[in-house]
Amino acid sequence: MLLTLLIMTYALSLGVPIYQGNSTYTSDILCNYDGRYLYKKNSSYRSDILYHFDGKYIYRGSSNYSSDILYTYDGKYLYRGKSTYQSDILYHFDGKHIYRGNSYYTSDILYTLSGEHLYRGKSTYRSDILFTLGRPMPVAILFLLVL
């Protein structure tokens, strides 16, 4: 049990790589998510933090000041700024697809999440893979990849 906990802690401390396309080569790592911060490339340096996600708000860089809130995520919708008004919905996720705004029309499907891949549109064709995820991660982080 202790060994399992140590291995899990070590794996989480390494972060989750996000790769370009269908690649899993370290040279194709676009960013790295450690459960709190999204870093440039395969970095874990504070100076390379792109975004901070606290479970509800997405902040610019490593900040947690309300003035640096870029987006609000409520578990389904991504809103502009600190808002939760319907008019400020940018995207939403239904468990498989990322839609534009509050729409559920198939014509408004922007991305599809299937397994470890994020695809363009409603496709799950290999040629439409945009990103490969090293492990599952919060949908809010996926929204950041496509903004």
Side-chain angles (χ1 to χ4, degrees), residues 32-133:
N32 182 31
Y33 179 66
D34 72 357
R36 186 172 183 168
Y37 299 109
L38 187 68
Y39 297 88
K40 287 187 238 179
K41 300 279 185 184
N42 198 21
S43 177
S44 60
Y45 294 111
R46 188 164 179 81
S47 61
D48 289 332
I49 294 173
L50 300 170
Y51 301 103
H52 165 211
F53 177 55
D54 69 2
K56 181 173 182 177
Y57 298 113
I58 298 170
Y59 301 85
R60 178 186 350 269
S62 62
S63 174
N64 62 354
Y65 295 113
S66 63
S67 61
D68 288 326
I69 293 173
L70 299 172
Y71 307 102
T72 300
Y73 179 64
D74 70 359
K76 182 175 183 178
Y77 298 102
L78 185 73
Y79 300 87
R80 182 178 301 110
K82 197 174 177 181
S83 172
T84 54
Y85 292 115
Q86 187 171 359
S87 62
D88 288 326
I89 295 173
L90 298 172
Y91 303 108
H92 77 276
F93 183 66
D94 71 357
K96 182 173 184 175
H97 299 104
I98 295 175
Y99 293 83
R100 178 186 352 264
N102 198 20
S103 173
Y104 279 95
Y105 294 113
T106 56
S107 61
D108 287 326
I109 294 173
L110 300 174
Y111 306 98
T112 299
L113 180 63
S114 181
E116 63 183 4
H117 300 294
L118 189 67
Y119 298 85
R120 181 182 351 271
K122 195 176 176 185
S123 174
T124 55
Y125 291 115
R126 183 180 171 100
S127 61
D128 289 325
I129 295 172
L130 297 173
F131 305 108
T132 299
L133 313 174

Side-chain angles (χ1 to χ4, degrees), residues 16-19 21 23-24 113 115-118 131-137 142 145:
V16 179
I18 301 166
Y19 302 92
S23 176
T24 54
L113 180 63
E116 63 183 4
H117 300 294
L118 189 67
F131 305 108
T132 299
L133 313 174
R135 281 197 310 264
M137 64 184 58
L142 298 180
L145 297 176

